[in-house]
Amino acid sequence: MKLYGATLSGHTHRVRLFLSLLKLPYEFVEIDMRARQNRSPEHLARNPFGEVPVLEDGELTLADSTAILVYLASRYDDSGRWLPREPVAAARVQQWLSTASGKIAYGPCAARLVTVFGAPLDHERAKDISTRLFDVLERELAGRRYVLGEHASIADVAAFSYIEHAPEGGVSLKPYPNIRSWLANVRALPGFVAMPATQAGVAPETPEAPEAA
């Protein structure tokens, strides 16, 4: 497998994290977004939108981070742990994938795009969306180790990267102990790999360990 992406992209990190959790070997190809390598003819042939990440697996070329997570779970996880087959659990996962592509993208992702990359977006609006999202997630994660309960799924993988790095976008995680405990549980998964932090936004916040189960 070959993964085209950007090291500081949370969308890319979702896929790198999941590949590591699945212990799947792959080659990583850095796409320099500042140098507009994502607009090169070669990359546009992989993804006409010029986005990252893009996964190549044999004859398959697949873009969109959440679609890649679904593919990898369906193709390489025979246990069904990461993408449950039970209808209600599968629907719950899809809800979180939609949140990752919606409120997370327009909230903590967008806020970080402003502070880290200088994107011409409405920073205050992105922070407001983040706060309203985190207020809901704080309640949703009460008493849960992971999104679905006791077992991690691709819902956790899809949501993790931009929430973990929300402080870089100027959105504090201090008011959200349940979210911080959930983040710590994801970090404790065997095979976890971190996305590099930047010095943007507010001062880094010290993660808190989850309470003992």
Side-chain angles (χ1 to χ4, degrees):
M1 274 186 283
K2 184 178 291 187
L3 179 66
Y4 299 85
T7 299
L8 292 180
S9 159
H11 288 72
T12 297
H13 180 252
R14 289 171 181 162
V15 179
R16 299 190 79 176
L17 172 58
F18 195 40
L19 286 166
S20 182
L21 294 172
L22 291 177
K23 298 180 173 57
L24 293 174
Y26 69 99
E27 176 188 352
F28 181 67
V29 180
E30 182 78 30
I31 300 296
D32 188 339
M33 307 290 278
R34 294 185 186 276
R36 295 182 61 80
Q37 288 182 354
N38 59 309
R39 306 306 301 179
S40 69
E42 293 81 8
H43 191 71
L44 289 174
R46 302 179 197 108
N47 181 354
F49 293 108
E51 298 168 344
V52 294
V54 176
L55 180 74
E56 291 180 348
D57 187 15
E59 297 299 316
L60 173 70
T61 299
L62 184 63
D64 185 90
S65 60
T66 55
I68 294 171
L69 295 182
V70 169
Y71 166 74
L72 291 173
S74 301
R75 175 71 176 80
Y76 292 104
D77 175 34
D78 293 335
S79 72
R81 168 192 173 187
W82 293 100
L83 180 58
R85 298 181 177 90
E86 190 277 321
V88 174
R92 297 295 185 198
V93 168
Q94 183 56 58
Q95 282 184 318
W96 280 75
L97 296 183
S98 296
T99 297
S101 299
K103 294 178 179 64
I104 291 176
Y106 292 108
C109 171
R112 183 174 173 272
L113 283 173
V114 173
T115 58
V116 176
F117 301 103
L121 302 173
D122 188 333
H123 192 216
E124 291 305 315
R125 179 175 182 272
K127 290 195 295 181
D128 181 62
I129 293 172
S130 300
T131 299
R132 288 186 280 118
L133 169 66
F134 291 172
D135 288 344
V136 173
L137 297 189
E138 178 69 10
R139 295 191 296 270
E140 289 287 313
L141 291 169
R144 299 185 192 177
R145 291 186 59 81
Y146 303 104
V147 166
L148 298 186
E150 288 302 307
H151 301 287
S153 69
I154 60 171
D156 300 280
V157 179
F160 177 85
S161 304
Y162 286 117
I163 295 178
E164 165 80 352
H165 289 261
E168 296 177 23
V171 184
S172 176
L173 294 173
K174 289 181 179 179
Y176 305 107
N178 293 332
I179 291 177
R180 288 186 280 111
S181 291
W182 164 73
L183 291 170
N185 290 333
V186 175
R187 286 193 295 267
L189 289 169
F192 174 82
V193 291
M195 181 168 74
T198 75
Q199 299 303 310
V202 299
E205 301 176 15
T206 302
E208 290 188 2
E211 296 180 1

